[in-house]
mmCIF file with all atom_site columns, all heavy atoms in Angstrom:
data_model
loop_
_atom_site.group_PDB
_atom_site.id
_atom_site.type_symbol
_atom_site.label_atom_id
_atom_site.label_alt_id
_atom_site.label_comp_id
_atom_site.label_asym_id
_atom_site.label_entity_id
_atom_site.label_seq_id
_atom_site.pdbx_PDB_ins_code
_atom_site.Cartn_x
_atom_site.Cartn_y
_atom_site.Cartn_z
_atom_site.occupancy
_atom_site.B_iso_or_equiv
_atom_site.pdbx_formal_charge
_atom_site.auth_seq_id
_atom_site.auth_comp_id
_atom_site.auth_asym_id
_atom_site.auth_atom_id
_atom_site.pdbx_PDB_model_num
ATOM 1  N N   . HIS P 1 5   ? 81.270 -65.725 1.444  1.00 0.00 ? 349 HIS P N   1
ATOM 2  C CA  . HIS P 1 5   ? 81.815 -64.457 2.069  1.00 0.00 ? 349 HIS P CA  1
ATOM 3  C C   . HIS P 1 5   ? 80.697 -63.351 2.303  1.00 0.00 ? 349 HIS P C   1
ATOM 4  O O   . HIS P 1 5   ? 81.046 -62.511 3.016  1.00 0.00 ? 349 HIS P O   1
ATOM 5  C CB  . HIS P 1 5   ? 82.924 -63.858 1.021  1.00 0.00 ? 349 HIS P CB  1
ATOM 6  C CG  . HIS P 1 5   ? 84.121 -64.708 0.868  1.00 0.00 ? 349 HIS P CG  1
ATOM 7  N ND1 . HIS P 1 5   ? 85.179 -64.680 1.789  1.00 0.00 ? 349 HIS P ND1 1
ATOM 8  C CD2 . HIS P 1 5   ? 84.342 -65.533 -0.117 1.00 0.00 ? 349 HIS P CD2 1
ATOM 9  C CE1 . HIS P 1 5   ? 85.937 -65.560 1.400  1.00 0.00 ? 349 HIS P CE1 1
ATOM 10 N NE2 . HIS P 1 5   ? 85.526 -66.051 0.219  1.00 0.00 ? 349 HIS P NE2 1
ATOM 11 N N   . ALA P 1 25  ? 73.155 -77.160 11.946 1.00 0.00 ? 369 ALA P N   1
ATOM 12 C CA  . ALA P 1 25  ? 73.881 -76.837 13.168 1.00 0.00 ? 369 ALA P CA  1
ATOM 13 C C   . ALA P 1 25  ? 75.080 -75.943 12.850 1.00 0.00 ? 369 ALA P C   1
ATOM 14 O O   . ALA P 1 25  ? 75.760 -76.084 11.761 1.00 0.00 ? 369 ALA P O   1
ATOM 15 C CB  . ALA P 1 25  ? 74.446 -78.189 13.670 1.00 0.00 ? 369 ALA P CB  1
ATOM 16 N N   . GLY P 1 86  ? 83.905 -82.700 6.426  1.00 0.00 ? 430 GLY P N   1
ATOM 17 C CA  . GLY P 1 86  ? 82.585 -82.811 5.658  1.00 0.00 ? 430 GLY P CA  1
ATOM 18 C C   . GLY P 1 86  ? 81.713 -81.599 6.060  1.00 0.00 ? 430 GLY P C   1
ATOM 19 O O   . GLY P 1 86  ? 80.399 -81.869 5.869  1.00 0.00 ? 430 GLY P O   1
ATOM 20 N N   . ARG P 1 126 ? 88.215 -57.893 31.069 1.00 0.00 ? 470 ARG P N   1
ATOM 21 C CA  . ARG P 1 126 ? 88.308 -57.509 29.686 1.00 0.00 ? 470 ARG P CA  1
ATOM 22 C C   . ARG P 1 126 ? 87.093 -56.747 29.236 1.00 0.00 ? 470 ARG P C   1
ATOM 23 O O   . ARG P 1 126 ? 86.094 -57.256 28.685 1.00 0.00 ? 470 ARG P O   1
ATOM 24 C CB  . ARG P 1 126 ? 88.349 -58.904 28.832 1.00 0.00 ? 470 ARG P CB  1
ATOM 25 C CG  . ARG P 1 126 ? 89.484 -59.764 29.240 1.00 0.00 ? 470 ARG P CG  1
ATOM 26 C CD  . ARG P 1 126 ? 89.445 -60.988 28.380 1.00 0.00 ? 470 ARG P CD  1
ATOM 27 N NE  . ARG P 1 126 ? 89.723 -60.733 26.988 1.00 0.00 ? 470 ARG P NE  1
ATOM 28 C CZ  . ARG P 1 126 ? 89.429 -61.642 26.075 1.00 0.00 ? 470 ARG P CZ  1
ATOM 29 N NH1 . ARG P 1 126 ? 88.979 -62.798 26.214 1.00 0.00 ? 470 ARG P NH1 1
ATOM 30 N NH2 . ARG P 1 126 ? 89.647 -61.203 24.696 1.00 0.00 ? 470 ARG P NH2 1
ATOM 31 N N   . GLY P 1 128 ? 84.170 -54.657 27.686 1.00 0.00 ? 472 GLY P N   1
ATOM 32 C CA  . GLY P 1 128 ? 83.810 -54.746 26.257 1.00 0.00 ? 472 GLY P CA  1
ATOM 33 C C   . GLY P 1 128 ? 83.830 -56.146 25.622 1.00 0.00 ? 472 GLY P C   1
ATOM 34 O O   . GLY P 1 128 ? 83.285 -56.148 24.621 1.00 0.00 ? 472 GLY P O   1
ATOM 35 N N   . PHE P 1 130 ? 82.368 -59.125 26.438 1.00 0.00 ? 474 PHE P N   1
ATOM 36 C CA  . PHE P 1 130 ? 81.129 -59.925 26.270 1.00 0.00 ? 474 PHE P CA  1
ATOM 37 C C   . PHE P 1 130 ? 80.087 -59.035 25.434 1.00 0.00 ? 474 PHE P C   1
ATOM 38 O O   . PHE P 1 130 ? 79.374 -59.691 24.668 1.00 0.00 ? 474 PHE P O   1
ATOM 39 C CB  . PHE P 1 130 ? 80.536 -60.325 27.546 1.00 0.00 ? 474 PHE P CB  1
ATOM 40 C CG  . PHE P 1 130 ? 81.347 -61.550 28.089 1.00 0.00 ? 474 PHE P CG  1
ATOM 41 C CD1 . PHE P 1 130 ? 81.915 -61.526 29.351 1.00 0.00 ? 474 PHE P CD1 1
ATOM 42 C CD2 . PHE P 1 130 ? 81.391 -62.653 27.345 1.00 0.00 ? 474 PHE P CD2 1
ATOM 43 C CE1 . PHE P 1 130 ? 82.567 -62.673 29.877 1.00 0.00 ? 474 PHE P CE1 1
ATOM 44 C CE2 . PHE P 1 130 ? 82.239 -63.776 27.813 1.00 0.00 ? 474 PHE P CE2 1
ATOM 45 C CZ  . PHE P 1 130 ? 82.709 -63.739 29.043 1.00 0.00 ? 474 PHE P CZ  1
ATOM 46 N N   . VAL P 1 144 ? 72.828 -66.855 9.790  1.00 0.00 ? 488 VAL P N   1
ATOM 47 C CA  . VAL P 1 144 ? 72.838 -68.375 9.456  1.00 0.00 ? 488 VAL P CA  1
ATOM 48 C C   . VAL P 1 144 ? 71.537 -69.070 9.783  1.00 0.00 ? 488 VAL P C   1
ATOM 49 O O   . VAL P 1 144 ? 71.244 -69.971 9.117  1.00 0.00 ? 488 VAL P O   1
ATOM 50 C CB  . VAL P 1 144 ? 73.980 -69.028 10.358 1.00 0.00 ? 488 VAL P CB  1
ATOM 51 C CG1 . VAL P 1 144 ? 74.151 -70.447 10.114 1.00 0.00 ? 488 VAL P CG1 1
ATOM 52 C CG2 . VAL P 1 144 ? 75.399 -68.381 9.931  1.00 0.00 ? 488 VAL P CG2 1
ATOM 53 N N   . LEU P 1 207 ? 98.488 -75.717 35.130 1.00 0.00 ? 551 LEU P N   1
ATOM 54 C CA  . LEU P 1 207 ? 97.234 -74.897 35.434 1.00 0.00 ? 551 LEU P CA  1
ATOM 55 C C   . LEU P 1 207 ? 96.109 -75.981 35.701 1.00 0.00 ? 551 LEU P C   1
ATOM 56 O O   . LEU P 1 207 ? 95.266 -75.836 36.725 1.00 0.00 ? 551 LEU P O   1
ATOM 57 C CB  . LEU P 1 207 ? 96.861 -74.036 34.314 1.00 0.00 ? 551 LEU P CB  1
ATOM 58 C CG  . LEU P 1 207 ? 95.530 -73.256 34.321 1.00 0.00 ? 551 LEU P CG  1
ATOM 59 C CD1 . LEU P 1 207 ? 95.419 -72.462 35.596 1.00 0.00 ? 551 LEU P CD1 1
ATOM 60 C CD2 . LEU P 1 207 ? 95.280 -72.406 33.051 1.00 0.00 ? 551 LEU P CD2 1
ATOM 61 N N   . LEU P 1 214 ? 92.682 -78.352 43.468 1.00 0.00 ? 558 LEU P N   1
ATOM 62 C CA  . LEU P 1 214 ? 91.745 -77.571 44.293 1.00 0.00 ? 558 LEU P CA  1
ATOM 63 C C   . LEU P 1 214 ? 90.329 -78.271 44.346 1.00 0.00 ? 558 LEU P C   1
ATOM 64 O O   . LEU P 1 214 ? 89.707 -78.331 45.405 1.00 0.00 ? 558 LEU P O   1
ATOM 65 C CB  . LEU P 1 214 ? 91.553 -76.278 43.429 1.00 0.00 ? 558 LEU P CB  1
ATOM 66 C CG  . LEU P 1 214 ? 90.612 -75.282 44.053 1.00 0.00 ? 558 LEU P CG  1
ATOM 67 C CD1 . LEU P 1 214 ? 90.915 -74.824 45.508 1.00 0.00 ? 558 LEU P CD1 1
ATOM 68 C CD2 . LEU P 1 214 ? 90.682 -73.953 43.250 1.00 0.00 ? 558 LEU P CD2 1
ATOM 69 N N   . ARG P 1 217 ? 90.119 -80.525 47.265 1.00 0.00 ? 561 ARG P N   1
ATOM 70 C CA  . ARG P 1 217 ? 90.053 -79.805 48.517 1.00 0.00 ? 561 ARG P CA  1
ATOM 71 C C   . ARG P 1 217 ? 88.654 -79.134 48.697 1.00 0.00 ? 561 ARG P C   1
ATOM 72 O O   . ARG P 1 217 ? 88.131 -79.027 49.723 1.00 0.00 ? 561 ARG P O   1
ATOM 73 C CB  . ARG P 1 217 ? 91.117 -78.751 48.609 1.00 0.00 ? 561 ARG P CB  1
ATOM 74 C CG  . ARG P 1 217 ? 92.393 -79.314 48.828 1.00 0.00 ? 561 ARG P CG  1
ATOM 75 C CD  . ARG P 1 217 ? 93.533 -78.346 48.937 1.00 0.00 ? 561 ARG P CD  1
ATOM 76 N NE  . ARG P 1 217 ? 94.725 -79.071 48.719 1.00 0.00 ? 561 ARG P NE  1
ATOM 77 C CZ  . ARG P 1 217 ? 95.391 -78.987 47.584 1.00 0.00 ? 561 ARG P CZ  1
ATOM 78 N NH1 . ARG P 1 217 ? 94.900 -78.382 46.518 1.00 0.00 ? 561 ARG P NH1 1
ATOM 79 N NH2 . ARG P 1 217 ? 96.563 -79.710 47.434 1.00 0.00 ? 561 ARG P NH2 1
ATOM 80 N N   . ALA P 1 222 ? 83.410 -76.263 53.440 1.00 0.00 ? 566 ALA P N   1
ATOM 81 C CA  . ALA P 1 222 ? 82.266 -75.318 53.483 1.00 0.00 ? 566 ALA P CA  1
ATOM 82 C C   . ALA P 1 222 ? 82.594 -74.196 52.524 1.00 0.00 ? 566 ALA P C   1
ATOM 83 O O   . ALA P 1 222 ? 83.682 -73.867 52.365 1.00 0.00 ? 566 ALA P O   1
ATOM 84 C CB  . ALA P 1 222 ? 82.112 -74.817 54.814 1.00 0.00 ? 566 ALA P CB  1
ATOM 85 N N   . ARG P 1 266 ? 81.510 -74.759 39.913 1.00 0.00 ? 610 ARG P N   1
ATOM 86 C CA  . ARG P 1 266 ? 82.514 -74.659 38.749 1.00 0.00 ? 610 ARG P CA  1
ATOM 87 C C   . ARG P 1 266 ? 83.766 -74.086 39.320 1.00 0.00 ? 610 ARG P C   1
ATOM 88 O O   . ARG P 1 266 ? 83.707 -72.858 40.003 1.00 0.00 ? 610 ARG P O   1
ATOM 89 C CB  . ARG P 1 266 ? 81.980 -73.909 37.605 1.00 0.00 ? 610 ARG P CB  1
ATOM 90 C CG  . ARG P 1 266 ? 82.617 -74.236 36.338 1.00 0.00 ? 610 ARG P CG  1
ATOM 91 C CD  . ARG P 1 266 ? 81.695 -75.256 35.581 1.00 0.00 ? 610 ARG P CD  1
ATOM 92 N NE  . ARG P 1 266 ? 82.518 -75.818 34.527 1.00 0.00 ? 610 ARG P NE  1
ATOM 93 C CZ  . ARG P 1 266 ? 82.208 -76.905 33.827 1.00 0.00 ? 610 ARG P CZ  1
ATOM 94 N NH1 . ARG P 1 266 ? 81.052 -77.517 34.034 1.00 0.00 ? 610 ARG P NH1 1
ATOM 95 N NH2 . ARG P 1 266 ? 82.999 -77.398 32.914 1.00 0.00 ? 610 ARG P NH2 1
#
Side-chain angles (χ1 to χ4, degrees):
H349 295 280
R470 304 180 61 193
F474 287 123
V488 176
L551 178 56
L558 176 58
R561 291 182 195 94
R610 201 101 196 167

